[in-house]
């Protein structure tokens, strides 16, 4: 176990598209939660050095200075972190005071990921974000001054009322910041969100599938021209700055998941924690883990996961690695799917690997789905 995800569910503000496990910060038992979180880590962790630690949310930086100090101290006490660990904090632009930046820096955090989404202030308002473009520039400036050079930002496209031209402007502004990592996601409307309710009422003007595909192509093009390598469907990096934490997921490796609603993959078991704070904290107060459900992954499922997760990477699935891991050749095992997608021009195979074509990246989800539930036939 060389990777850990830590979930901080608190937000000052809930975005219209977000369906992650989160709660309004006001009046929540934040300190008790942080204590429960440390307890969970102490019950789970063996002492090997972590290669990656990722603190996400919610909004980890919504914590005040004292709480943030408490969180990083707990993490550093319970997890073995050294100078080679990729240690990431998610942040909201405008949330990170110079004091908070100093706390993170002193604790050994060496990577920041900002949820920017768009540089268009009108759109930011429309999607329920509380920051504005100027906050992004200021936050990144402050982060660089504090000594952070591994900084990533997220963009979302296919937003209500967004045009291709507008998205291009956001990409260009993002690239002008000269960062080492960018992620770009298309908007997904999830149940129980503000946007879902608006969509049901016919009040959410979305750009549509063709426009979405065009925006994605534009994203790939601009990133490439900006000297960034696409290493995964939604992620672009200066070579050497790929997110090692996210590669843990796509390489189908195991990781701890700590916190309310967090998912982990430990000793061949995929598990998820209780989401509601009270339900999460209760078992921990009795020295028990807050696991809501656990599923032992079968060998068939492991092989399928290796395919549909691995194909998200631009390099695809390495054939020899698959054989070493499972003792089977993926080309024989998934002959039908591979032949089918090859013929449609969405998948390619060479001696070493199976990977999506550029066209395949646009229709990735269809390809991924075809590998689920097949290897046991």
């Amino acid at each position: 176990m060389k990777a850990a995800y830590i979930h901080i569910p608190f937000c000052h503000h809930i975005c219209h598209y977000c369906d992650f496990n989160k709660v309004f910060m006001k009046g929540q038992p934040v300190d008790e939660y942080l204590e429960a979180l440390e307890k969970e880590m102490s019950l789970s962790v063996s002492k090997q050095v972590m290669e990656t630690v990722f603190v996400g949310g919610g909004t980890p930086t919504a914590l005040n200075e004292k709480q943030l100090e408490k969180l990083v101290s707990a993490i550093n006490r319970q997890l073995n972190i050294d100078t080679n660990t990729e240690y990431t904090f998610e942040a909201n632009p405008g949330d990170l005071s110079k004091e908070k930046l100093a706390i993170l820096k002193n604790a050994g955090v060496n990577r920041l990921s900002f949820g920017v989404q768009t540089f268009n202030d009108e759109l930011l308002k429309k999607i329920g974000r509380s920051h504005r473009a100027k906050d992004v520039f200021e936050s990144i400036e402050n982060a660089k001054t504090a000594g952070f050079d591994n900084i990533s930002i997220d963009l979302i496209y296919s937003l209500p009322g967004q045009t291709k031209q507008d998205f291009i402007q956001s990409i260009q502004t993002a690239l002008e910041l000269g960062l080492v990592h960018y992620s770009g996601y298309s908007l997904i409307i999830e149940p129980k969100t503000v946007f879902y309710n608006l969509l049901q009422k016919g009040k959410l003007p979305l750009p549509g599938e063709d426009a979405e595909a065009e925006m994605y192509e534009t994203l790939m093009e601009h990133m490439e021209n900006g000297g960034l390598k696409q290493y995964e469907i939604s992620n672009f990096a200066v070579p050497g700055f790929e997110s090692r934490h996210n590669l843990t997921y796509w390489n189908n490796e195991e990781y701890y998941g700590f916190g309310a609603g967090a998912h982990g993959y430990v000793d061949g078991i995929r598990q998820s924690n209780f989401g509601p704070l009270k339900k999460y904290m209760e078992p921990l107060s009795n020295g028990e883990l807050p696991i809501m459900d656990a599923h032992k992954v079968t060998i068939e499922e492991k092989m399928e996961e290796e395919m549909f997760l691995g194909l998200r990477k631009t390099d695809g699935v390495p054939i020899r690695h698959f054989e070493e891991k499972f003792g089977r050749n993926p080309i024989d095992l998934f002959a039908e799917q591979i032949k089918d997608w090859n013929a449609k021009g969405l998948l390619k195979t060479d001696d070493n690997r199976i990977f999506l074509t550029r066209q395949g990246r646009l229709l990735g989800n269809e390809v991924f789905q075809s590998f689920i539930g097949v290897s046991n036939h």
Side-chain angles (χ1 to χ4, degrees):
M1 301 296 296
K2 297 183 292 248
Y5 170 78
I6 296 165
H7 190 74
I8 304 299
F10 307 109
C11 291
H12 286 310
H13 189 87
I14 308 275
C15 305
H16 296 349
Y17 52 84
C18 178
D19 79 326
F20 290 125
N21 188 43
K22 77 285 172 190
V23 290
F24 267 125
M25 184 119 182
K26 216 174 152 57
Q28 294 293 343
V30 180
D31 286 294
E32 291 91 316
Y33 178 79
L34 296 176
E35 280 149 31
L37 190 58
E38 176 161 15
K39 185 80 191 267
E40 186 190 3
M41 289 189 264
S42 77
L43 289 172
S44 315
V45 176
S46 53
K47 280 295 174 212
Q48 77 279 39
V49 176
M50 288 288 143
E51 281 178 16
T52 84
V53 174
F54 192 103
V55 184
T59 317
T61 52
L63 300 175
N64 65 31
E65 278 94 355
K66 212 171 147 192
Q67 292 160 341
L68 196 58
E69 184 73 73
K70 186 170 178 165
L71 171 64
V72 290
S73 300
I75 294 171
N76 289 355
R77 267 195 301 274
Q78 298 304 332
L79 302 184
N80 193 350
I81 291 171
D82 70 9
T83 48
N84 295 321
T85 306
E86 178 194 84
Y87 189 176
T88 307
F89 253 75
E90 271 184 348
N92 259 356
D95 255 357
L96 260 186
S97 62
K98 289 178 179 165
E99 291 74 23
K100 287 183 190 179
L101 281 162
I103 290 168
L104 295 180
K105 189 76 187 145
N106 293 337
V109 176
N110 52 21
R111 187 172 181 274
L112 294 174
S113 174
F114 285 98
V116 171
Q117 319 325 1
T118 169
F119 284 94
N120 175 329
D121 282 351
E122 276 306 295
L123 271 178
L124 283 168
K125 210 156 50 201
K126 214 185 254 181
I127 64 177
R129 295 294 284 174
S130 55
H131 75 270
R132 296 297 171 256
K134 67 172 176 36
D135 300 319
V136 179
F137 305 128
E138 196 181 314
S139 291
I140 285 174
E141 191 52 48
N142 289 343
K144 285 180 174 175
T145 307
F148 287 95
D149 50 11
N150 193 347
I151 298 173
S152 173
I153 63 176
D154 290 353
L155 296 173
I156 298 183
Y157 56 93
S158 196
L159 294 168
Q162 186 179 38
T163 63
K164 182 175 157 187
Q165 200 39 50
D166 176 86
F167 184 49
I168 289 174
Q169 276 175 327
S170 270
I171 300 171
Q172 286 168 338
T173 307
L175 288 171
E176 280 162 20
L177 292 167
L179 304 176
V180 292
H181 192 284
Y182 296 90
S183 303
Y185 304 100
S186 67
L187 177 71
I188 294 171
I189 307 292
E190 303 282 7
K192 300 199 186 106
T193 59
V194 173
F195 273 174
Y196 183 81
N197 297 336
L198 287 172
L199 190 66
Q200 299 301 89
K201 294 176 186 154
K203 289 184 177 169
L204 196 69
L206 294 171
E209 270 177 33
D210 293 348
E212 184 177 312
E214 271 184 36
M215 288 184 200
Y216 181 49
E217 295 227 44
T218 303
L219 176 69
M220 291 196 283
E221 220 165 89
H222 278 78
M223 288 288 159
E224 215 167 285
N225 297 341
L228 291 127
K229 184 178 176 291
Q230 181 172 17
Y231 68 98
E232 190 268 348
I233 288 240
S234 310
N235 286 275
F236 307 82
V238 170
F241 285 94
E242 298 84 359
S243 162
R244 280 160 44 202
H245 186 79
N246 286 342
L247 283 165
T248 304
Y249 302 147
W250 302 317
N251 290 331
N252 195 21
E253 291 163 0
E254 298 194 338
Y255 57 93
Y256 292 115
F258 299 123
H263 293 248
Y265 186 15
V266 183
D267 297 333
I269 293 169
R270 288 199 182 272
Q271 54 196 41
S272 58
N273 283 345
F274 288 110
L277 298 191
K278 203 166 152 350
K279 279 195 120 157
Y280 165 77
M281 294 186 326
E282 221 155 68
L284 286 162
S285 64
N286 303 319
E288 287 161 25
L289 286 171
I291 295 168
M292 176 178 75
D293 57 35
H295 168 70
K296 188 152 185 49
V297 185
T298 65
I299 186 75
E300 287 79 19
E301 288 167 333
K302 281 181 185 174
M303 293 190 288
E304 291 167 8
E305 288 172 356
E306 193 82 11
M307 291 304 291
F308 70 75
L309 291 167
L311 285 170
R312 293 190 63 94
K313 297 175 294 178
T314 314
D315 289 344
V317 176
I319 295 168
R320 254 173 232 93
H321 176 71
F322 191 102
E323 287 179 319
E324 280 163 19
K325 204 165 167 178
F326 302 109
R328 299 283 302 270
N329 182 316
I331 294 183
D332 302 337
L333 195 62
F334 299 105
E336 209 176 297
Q337 287 76 4
I338 291 170
K339 205 174 130 200
D340 192 23
W341 295 120
N342 267 341
K344 291 183 176 147
L346 301 187
L347 208 59
K348 262 180 119 152
T349 39
D350 59 24
D351 300 344
N352 312 321
R353 59 196 185 102
I354 306 161
F355 58 99
L356 290 178
T357 62
R358 199 181 169 91
Q359 187 56 32
R361 287 178 219 164
L362 290 166
L363 298 163
N365 284 340
E366 290 178 37
V367 180
F368 306 148
Q369 275 162 353
S370 70
F371 287 94
I372 299 172
V374 290
S375 59
N376 41 8
H377 296 174

